[in-house]
Every structure is written in structure tokens, then in C-alpha cells.
Amino acid sequence: MSQGKNNVNLLHKYYLHSLTIEKRWVRFYQVVIFLVFFTGWEFSSQQRWIDPLLFSSPSKIWNLFLEKFQDGSLLSNLGVTLTETVFGFILGTVLGTILAALLWWSPMLSKIIDPYLVILNAMPKVALGPILIVALGPGYPSIIAMGAIISVIITTIVVYTSFKEVDPNYLKVLQTFGANRFQCFKEAILPASFPTIISTLKVNVGLSWVGVIVGEFLVSSRGLGYLIIYGFQVFNFTLVFLSLLVIAVVATIMYQLVELLERKLIKE
Amino acid sequence: MSFLAIKDVHHTYFTKVSATTALSEITLQVEEGEFVSFLGPSGCGKSTLLSIIAGLIKPTQGSILLENKPLSGAKNQIGYMLQQDYLFPWKTIEENILLGLKLSKQLNDETKNAALDLLKQMGLNGIEKQLPKQLSGGMRQRAALVRTLATEPKLLMLDEPFSALDYQTKLKLEDLVSNTLDAFGKTAILVTHDIGEAIAMSDRVILFSPSPGSIHKVFPMPDELRSLSPFKARNHERFSSIFQTIWKELESLESGKE
């Protein structure tokens, strides 16, 4: 009996050990890819296999990073873009959810609006950029509007679909207790759709970055999008790559934060 | 005058391609404290009738009177239990069972304590703060019963509430529900397609025939079965003869259809 139990414990230990080993190999190859990519980039740039003027090199980018970091201009530009993005995606998600609630509230309205939603969703929202800039003026409002507008329609569609898919029996339970439509929404529809809303938040983080960067391309005199377009205009591709890498890192961190929020809010 | 009077109810469902008559000429009285079962093959409109009595659907024709009053003002007097518990998964058991009271603005210390007491009587101790998914199917259905009874409905509708449970849990729950309803003197209507369940639990079994749904035959249950708990009634000598009678009647309905 105890012999058998020891055996099981031993096997379990082996199993855990094999898991750890597998995880280490995965990490190892991830690091290898990272190192090969950047050393390859650096080396081929120094050997002039690729044009260093166009493709820059990691060491140049790093030096520029230190320089821009020390004079504070990188952080202030990053701050601008980050603020716009956060406002953009929160605004997009909230407005989308409110619109979805309106559509759920009035089935008639949703039938009327349906083709317009399809058209708006199909249309490339960044094409609205020039109009927004003229209407709202060049600055924060128009760029935040870009970040929001790019995600608001798709949020409306996804959240509205999730509202409609809530099991009607939950509503039946509420109706037998005499609940009105607002109570049905508050007690069943909204909480049941919470996971969907959070997951659209994740998608919207990515979308808002696109909207804000494009917005900065068009108008801004500050922000990472501005640095990219400025670097392009003065043919300083080191600056372009630096901004790109910073965006990649910060966008990843933001995505991870939203994922953390998701795990906190939905304690499954 | 009867506690619940259903007068000449017709109901037709309309779709783009068809108009389906689900119920026709339903006239029925239920006395206070009575337990009535609606039995019939699927598609005979028994669940539709239940929804109409609960005021969830308006019948195309006919009227429902509860204590001589039309239904519209009587929403909170009717409790409804569904095939599954439909406890809200994001609410704790306590929040779930107090939901009806909260929605009808009857929530105060007194009603809250009554609901929590009822939970204890149902053998659900110390689970108030747990989420529904931490409970077994039988416990969840018991919590759902507490939620339904918490608003003190005069009439209880049970729409196949035991059909999703395993057999043993179902037998235990039948006894519990039957005892609870007796103790509170509640009037109840049970929809089921389980002949045994209908016989064991009710005072009267009403057999429905399909397309369009109408009352085919009414079987009053003998006193010796009515006085027993469902589990004991199933073992009574008269049980199987009544079962056979209803079974044959159901068979004749099926063959008549073809």
C-alpha cells in the first residue's frame, strides 16, 4: 500500500520535473531568437550587408534611447501618446457599451440602425482623420477621438451580440419577480456580458494604438507617432525604430495590465 | 369561486410562414392548496399554458382569474421554477435567494431572515456566501426553490423542475418540495412528462393532448395516495394501476396522432 503511494509520489515528481525542463527549453529558445535577431541586425549593419542609413542598428538605437531618455523628451512624448491611447480605448469601450445598451433597450432602434452599423464598421475609420482634425482642432481631442472612433463600432457590435445571447430563462426568472426592463439589464444582461466587455477591452487596446499613432501622423507636434513621422521626414530612421520599439514594449505592457484586470474582475 | 380560474384560453404563435395554435379551449379551475399536474407529450402546450398563467405571455383569447382578479396586478403572487435552477452564477446564494424580494422592494430584515431560515430548513447550511457553481445540482435546485418561495407567492409554478437531476436526487427533492408546499399550504401547478412524478406528487393529474394543446382527460388521485409523501406514494399498491391507466391513455394519444 505505502509502497504504491511512494511510487505515485515518485512518478508525480518525475512529471513535475519534466514540465520544468520543458519550460526551460521554451525560455531558452525564446532568448536565442531575441539574441540572434538583435546581434544579427547589429552585425549585418556594421558589415554593411544592410544599409545602416535605412535599417539603423541596435547600438545606435540604444544610444539614441539613452540620449532622448536623459533629455526627457522620450518620456514626455511617450506620456502624451499613452494618455491619448488610454483615453481613446476607455472612451471607445464605454461609448460602444452604451450604444449596445441602447440597441438592446429598443429592438426597433436596432433594426433601423443595423445597416448603418454594418457600413460604419466596414469603413476604414482612419479615413475620418482629416475631418476630425478640422472639426475638433489639431490637438488632444481629435487624436483621442481617433483612438476611440476606431474601436467604438466594433465594440457596439460585439457587446450587443453578447447582450442578445444571454439565456432568456434568466430574464424569465426576473420577469416572474416583476422586474422591469432596466432591472433585467442591471441584474442579468450586463453582468452576464461582463466577460465579453473585458475581452473587447483587450482588443481595443491594440486598436486605439493604431488610431492614436495615425492621428499623431496627421496632426501632432508631440508623441511617438510624431517622432516616427519626424524621423521619416528628416531621414533619421534610428528615431523611427526607437519609437517603434518603445510602442511595442509599452503596448505589450498595457495589454498585460488589461489581462491582469480581467483575471481580477472575473474570478473564475 | 375557485382560487385560480382559467376560462376558455386559446393561444396561437405567429411566425412568418405559419400560425400554430398551441392551446385551444382550456378551461380549468384550481382550488386553494391544491397540487395539480399538467401531463402530456412534448409540444402539447403545457409550458405555454404555464407561461400564460404566470403572466409572461398574453393569451390570444380567454382570461385568467386569480382569486377573482385578473392577472395583471398579481405578478408577485406567482412563483415560477424552471427546468434548471437558473441561479445567477455571479451572485452568491444569499444574493440569489433575496433577488425576488429586492426586485419587488420587499427586502427588509424580517423577510431577509425568513428567506435565510428557509434556506436552513432546506438543509442548506453555511453556504450563503458561496457561488452557485460550488454547489451540487440538487442543492442548486433547492436554493432556487428558496428563491421562488422567498417572495411568498400564492401560486407556485413548477416547469419540469426535476428533469435535469439524477434519479436519486429527484426522488429526494420531490419529497422535500411536496412537504414544504404542504407546510406552507401553497397551491402549485407542476408541468412534467414523467407519469410517476405526476401521480406521486399531485392531487389531480390533467392529461393534455397535442396539436392543438387541449385538456384530454382529468384524473383525480385517490385520497390514500394524496396523503402520502411522493416517495411512499410510488410504493403504494394503487400506484401501478393508476400508472397503467394513464400510460394507456397517453399511448392512445400517440397512436391517434399517426
Side-chain angles (χ1 to χ4, degrees):
Chain A
M1 186 69 190
S2 77
Q3 185 86 41
K5 191 149 177 63
N6 278 336
N7 208 7
V8 169
N9 280 340
L10 205 63
L11 286 173
H12 190 221
K13 221 179 250 170
Y14 281 138
Y15 173 71
L16 289 181
H17 188 62
S18 72
L19 280 188
T20 326
I21 288 185
E22 190 193 342
K23 206 172 166 187
R24 272 185 205 153
W25 276 112
V26 170
R27 279 272 176 272
F28 172 74
Y29 282 117
Q30 284 168 341
V31 170
V32 165
I33 289 175
F34 183 86
L35 290 177
V36 165
F37 179 76
F38 281 98
T39 50
W41 185 4
E42 179 70 39
F43 188 70
S44 44
S45 178
Q46 274 173 12
Q47 297 296 314
R48 309 229 154 213
W49 294 344
I50 55 173
D51 188 345
L53 189 65
L54 263 183
F55 294 101
S56 189
S57 72
S59 59
K60 279 199 230 163
I61 297 171
W62 178 248
N63 287 334
L64 187 67
F65 171 75
L66 291 178
E67 181 192 317
K68 293 269 177 195
F69 187 76
Q70 272 151 6
D71 71 13
S73 66
L74 184 67
L75 277 185
S76 74
N77 281 309
L78 174 63
V80 169
T81 306
L82 207 57
T83 319
E84 290 161 348
T85 308
V86 168
F87 274 107
F89 91 86
I90 289 175
L91 210 63
T93 311
V94 170
L95 280 180
T97 307
I98 291 172
L99 264 174
L102 281 176
L103 294 182
W104 178 84
W105 191 272
S106 161
M108 185 73 181
L109 180 70
S110 98
K111 274 181 200 153
I112 295 169
I113 296 292
D114 184 62
Y116 296 103
L117 276 181
V118 173
I119 292 167
L120 284 175
N121 187 43
M123 192 180 65
K125 260 72 66 181
V126 289
L128 288 173
I131 299 162
L132 282 176
I133 289 159
V134 175
L136 299 172
Y140 278 112
S142 58
I143 294 170
I144 290 173
M146 282 287 283
I149 210 165
I150 206 167
S151 56
V152 70
I153 301 295
I154 190 69
T155 306
T156 308
I157 292 173
V158 171
V159 173
Y160 175 58
T161 309
S162 132
F163 282 173
K164 278 195 304 186
E165 277 167 5
V166 173
D167 192 330
N169 282 311
Y170 284 119
L171 297 181
K172 203 169 175 180
V173 168
L174 293 172
Q175 278 158 6
T176 59
F177 289 132
N180 57 33
R181 209 159 163 78
F182 174 71
Q183 285 170 322
C184 284
F185 182 79
K186 190 175 141 244
E187 301 290 343
I189 300 289
L190 191 61
S193 307
F194 220 58
T196 312
I197 295 173
I198 299 285
S199 73
T200 57
L201 210 60
K202 279 199 290 190
V203 178
N204 291 350
V205 168
L207 286 176
S208 285
W209 275 100
V210 176
V212 164
I213 295 297
V214 171
E216 287 180 348
F217 278 5
L218 290 174
V219 61
S220 178
S221 50
R222 277 175 307 170
L224 295 173
Y226 164 73
L227 287 187
I228 290 177
I229 214 78
Y230 175 76
F232 163 63
Q233 280 162 354
V234 302
F235 232 69
N236 181 356
F237 279 89
T238 310
L239 184 60
V240 175
F241 275 111
L242 171 65
S243 312
L244 264 177
L245 288 177
V246 170
I247 290 171
V249 170
V250 178
T252 310
I253 292 171
M254 223 157 123
Y255 186 85
Q256 298 287 340
L257 283 178
V258 175
E259 220 168 33
L260 195 76
L261 181 81
E262 180 181 24
R263 267 192 304 240
K264 282 258 155 122
L265 286 176
I266 305 161
K267 292 166 263 166
E268 293 297 315
Chain B
M1 199 50 197
S2 307
F3 178 68
L4 174 75
I6 302 164
K7 279 188 199 156
D8 199 29
V9 164
H10 286 256
H11 191 70
T12 308
Y13 284 113
F14 295 102
T15 66
K16 254 184 196 167
V17 288
S18 66
T20 318
T21 303
L23 290 169
S24 92
E25 289 176 58
I26 307 286
T27 298
L28 183 72
Q29 268 97 38
V30 180
E31 303 305 325
E32 185 150 23
E34 198 180 12
F35 195 117
V36 175
S37 286
F38 293 170
L39 186 69
S42 47
C44 67
K46 46 195 188 330
S47 286
T48 307
L49 183 58
L50 214 58
S51 293
I52 290 175
I53 300 172
L56 297 174
I57 309 177
K58 219 175 135 41
T60 333
Q61 214 183 86
S63 65
I64 315 277
L65 295 178
L66 187 68
E67 295 183 311
N68 290 329
K69 276 174 258 164
L71 265 178
S72 53
K75 248 186 182 167
N76 287 323
Q77 299 178 339
I78 292 172
Y80 202 113
M81 248 179 107
L82 295 154
Q83 283 169 21
Q84 280 157 46
D85 50 79
Y86 287 105
L87 295 170
F88 292 85
W90 53 85
K91 287 179 190 288
T92 63
I93 295 300
E94 182 175 324
E95 286 166 342
N96 263 297
I97 62 167
L98 298 178
L99 185 65
L101 293 168
K102 188 177 141 197
L103 290 176
S104 54
K105 301 196 170 56
Q106 296 172 344
L107 188 60
N108 53 41
D109 283 347
E110 195 185 329
T111 54
K112 182 180 169 178
N113 287 334
L116 291 174
D117 273 351
L118 194 58
L119 199 64
K120 285 199 190 84
Q121 284 172 40
M122 295 280 171
L124 297 171
N125 265 322
I127 50 119
E128 293 87 348
K129 301 291 173 213
Q130 290 187 14
L131 291 171
K133 65 167 190 264
Q134 294 167 279
L135 271 57
S136 70
M139 288 164 90
R140 294 172 59 131
Q141 197 58 296
R142 271 183 279 167
L145 180 65
V146 174
R147 176 173 69 182
T148 312
L149 290 174
T151 50
E152 303 202 351
K154 286 182 176 157
L155 177 62
L156 204 67
M157 317 280 239
L158 308 163
D159 192 355
E160 300 186 29
F162 313 120
S163 59
L165 301 171
D166 60 88
Y167 194 65
Q168 207 182 351
T169 313
K170 169 181 152 136
L171 291 184
K172 281 187 195 160
L173 222 61
E174 279 178 16
D175 269 22
L176 184 75
V177 169
S178 181
N179 289 338
T180 314
L181 294 184
D182 277 349
F184 288 92
K186 298 271 185 231
T187 315
I189 300 174
L190 170 75
V191 161
T192 180
H193 50 238
D194 179 341
I195 305 173
E197 185 173 285
I199 299 170
M201 293 195 75
S202 14
D203 301 323
R204 217 160 20 125
V205 176
I206 296 169
L207 187 62
F208 280 71
S209 59
S211 48
S214 53
I215 295 175
H216 181 69
K217 210 165 182 181
V218 178
F219 300 90
M221 293 296 117
D223 285 340
E224 52 261 54
L225 283 191
R226 290 170 59 174
S227 58
L228 292 174
S229 72
F231 187 75
K232 284 182 183 145
R234 279 175 189 271
N235 293 317
H236 195 271
E237 52 192 5
R238 293 202 56 184
F239 181 84
S240 60
S241 71
I242 299 173
F243 190 96
Q244 289 303 326
T245 317
I246 300 183
W247 173 264
K248 277 181 193 137
E249 208 60 56
L250 258 172
E251 285 279 277
S252 78
L253 280 179
E254 302 255 309
S255 60
K257 202 166 65 178
E258 279 153 25

